[in-house]
Amino acid sequence: MSDQWDAGRLDSDLEGVGFDTLAVRAGQYRTPEAEHSDPLFFTSSYVFRTAADAAARFAGETPGNVYSRYTNPTVRAFEERLAALEGAEQAVGTSTGMSAILSTVMALCSAGDHVLVSQSVFGSTISLFEKYFKRFGVQVDYVPLADLSGWERGIKANTKLLFVESPSNPLAELVDIAALAEIAHARGAMLVVDNCFSTPALQQPLKLGADIVVHSATKFIDGQGRCMGGAVAGRSEQMKEVVGFLRTAGPTLSPFNAWVFLKGLETLKLRMRAHCEGAKALAQWLEQQEGVEKVHYAGLASHPQHELAKRQMSDFGAVVSFEVKGGKDGAWRFIDATRLLSITANLGDSKTTITHPATTSHGRLSPQEREAAGIRDSLIRIAVGLEDVADLQADLARGLAAL
């Protein structure tokens, strides 16, 4: 963009506006073409007026783009919009949700640092900590998610980060984020919250006291199962370190994927409202079915943390897990009998998905690790999409008939 270009009235005044307005307008700075929609910048590099201009850009003495591994206008728009929705000073786009976690730990931790991780995190997250971070000297221990006294006991003098998913995948367990943030800060540690299941439309961990939020934008932020990406959001002081890691190591977000996520953010709150309505209806229905032994959904009054969920979330999310009779064989018969739901481990899609966590998303964990995380062979997870709830119930009834 030309230094002489001034969009003036063409850019929106966002002072004091609400969440829905930020979701469709934050982060957009119009080019001299005066486009209404967000532009897509397909370019790997950028040109400079003079050699001195290039040197100043590379040295960080003047603002502007240098190389799309570092910055890209479309990616920047996504980052600024997500930061506005999360209430963060800065957000950083990454190539996947897992690279968001990788970038956070690599940027903020060193060999000899200690990280406390919830037992109730995504299977690949456990693998990342166990197989790779430990190899490079990061000490890792695990704590039951909701056990605040366990978190307090687990913190050491060298503890750098506490890492949680809340709600967790796939059991919808929660932790009191505000209370855990107080525990972390009292001992000089930072709290990182994976906010993938809730998105900022339902929960804003930074406003509850967390230091950093990570996302798999692949999920609800996209909303239609099209692209992969992630994000890290928090204070600029920490995000500067994350940017430095991305600039060097390169797990950066594609401009095209960032553009897709910008479109996803525009409808995020509307979609999450519909997802939540469908999930709650199905959870209540499943709880009444004879072949279902237990339903895990924080929106149910029977959920042990239902009151906590009401305090720190505006709604209860789209993921419902339930245990069926017959163990693994029963779960597989149930899944195979469905004809509408998509058998896939992804979630956050407009299409409802169904999966068997013990042999898919958490299949690389040992039986002991799965047991500690509460992932039983009888467990089925559905991520509720945007179809008619009656049609979803009819398909789940096929699964129940197969038990």
Side-chain angles (χ1 to χ4, degrees):
M1 184 182 297
S2 169
D3 287 343
Q4 285 73 47
W5 165 246
D6 180 6
R9 175 62 182 80
L10 298 183
D11 284 342
S12 300
D13 181 359
L14 300 180
E15 182 69 28
V17 303
F19 185 97
D20 291 340
T21 303
L22 292 173
V24 299
R25 291 188 178 270
Q28 184 177 5
Y29 303 97
R30 291 188 171 86
T31 75
E33 301 296 337
E35 69 283 343
H36 189 224
S37 185
D38 299 280
L40 175 53
F41 286 86
F42 273 141
T43 183
S44 58
S45 64
Y46 306 86
V47 296
F48 310 98
R49 292 183 177 84
T50 64
D53 179 31
R57 294 270 194 94
F58 271 82
E61 296 170 355
T62 61
N65 297 303
V66 174
Y67 190 58
S68 278
R69 191 174 80 243
Y70 309 168
T71 59
N72 175 278
T74 309
V75 174
R76 184 176 64 244
F78 167 68
E79 293 171 336
E80 292 191 9
R81 188 169 298 176
L82 182 63
L85 297 182
E86 284 286 7
E89 291 180 2
Q90 184 177 353
V92 182
T94 63
S95 57
T96 64
M98 290 308 303
S99 67
I101 299 172
L102 170 70
S103 301
T104 300
V105 177
M106 292 295 288
L108 301 178
C109 293
S110 303
D113 286 340
H114 176 242
V115 181
L116 270 180
V117 182
S118 164
Q119 290 177 346
S120 306
V121 294
F122 180 47
S124 291
T125 303
I126 293 177
S127 297
L128 181 61
F129 278 99
E130 284 293 304
K131 295 182 179 179
Y132 301 102
F133 290 144
K134 280 188 173 182
R135 183 190 301 177
F136 291 98
V138 175
Q139 301 170 20
V140 183
D141 288 308
Y142 298 90
V143 180
L145 176 60
D147 183 6
L148 291 175
S149 61
W151 287 101
E152 196 157 17
R153 289 192 305 270
I155 295 177
K156 303 176 181 179
N158 60 335
T159 301
K160 196 69 173 287
L161 301 177
L162 277 59
F163 186 95
V164 302
E165 289 176 13
S166 183
S168 69
N169 177 18
L171 297 178
E173 292 180 285
L174 291 90
V175 68
D176 186 328
I177 294 173
L180 187 57
E182 288 186 8
I183 291 171
H185 297 159
R187 302 286 292 276
M190 291 181 285
L191 175 59
V192 182
V193 177
D194 185 330
N195 201 30
C196 173
F197 273 33
S198 292
T199 80
L202 306 184
Q203 176 177 267
Q204 295 170 313
L206 300 179
K207 293 184 178 179
L208 296 171
D211 299 279
I212 295 169
V213 165
V214 296
H215 279 285
S216 172
T218 310
K219 310 300 191 295
F220 295 104
I221 288 176
D222 176 359
Q224 296 185 45
R226 298 165 292 190
C227 293
M228 302 189 76
V232 187
R235 294 190 300 274
S236 297
E237 178 185 358
Q238 281 77 40
M239 295 307 101
K240 179 180 178 181
E241 299 300 321
V242 176
V243 169
F245 175 77
L246 261 72
R247 178 170 180 154
T248 302
T252 46
L253 178 60
S254 150
F256 177 79
N257 292 9
W259 184 84
V260 172
F261 298 152
L262 280 166
K263 300 296 104 181
L265 287 175
E266 291 181 1
T267 60
L268 177 62
K269 195 170 184 179
L270 292 171
R271 288 185 288 103
M272 293 309 297
R273 186 180 302 136
H275 283 300
C276 292
E277 289 176 359
K280 186 175 182 180
L282 286 181
Q284 291 171 337
W285 179 81
L286 283 165
E287 206 171 31
Q288 304 303 315
Q289 304 309 307
E290 184 177 342
V292 176
E293 296 183 327
K294 188 173 184 179
V295 180
H296 303 271
Y297 184 66
L300 295 173
S302 59
H303 191 282
Q305 296 170 300
H306 178 62
E307 293 303 317
L308 172 61
K310 288 200 296 185
R311 288 201 309 271
Q312 68 184 22
M313 301 170 66
S314 62
D315 213 330
F316 304 106
V319 178
V320 179
S321 293
F322 55 99
E323 298 172 38
V324 297
K325 294 178 180 179
K328 174 185 170 183
D329 289 342
W332 279 24
R333 287 198 302 272
F334 185 110
I335 292 169
D336 289 347
T338 61
R339 290 293 178 267
L340 178 66
L341 278 61
S342 306
I343 304 176
T344 178
N346 194 34
L347 57 94
D349 202 308
S350 56
K351 303 176 180 68
T352 299
T353 66
I354 187 168
T355 192
H356 184 242
T359 53
T360 57
S361 59
H362 293 71
R364 289 186 292 172
L365 303 183
S366 68
Q368 294 78 16
E369 289 171 329
R370 287 198 298 274
E371 181 65 26
I375 310 299
R376 299 181 177 87
D377 286 346
S378 58
L379 185 71
I380 295 170
R381 186 194 76 192
I382 55 173
V384 181
L386 302 178
E387 304 96 337
D388 287 342
V389 172
D391 296 329
L392 297 177
Q393 288 177 343
D395 203 37
L396 293 174
R398 295 186 183 102
L400 289 165
L403 294 177

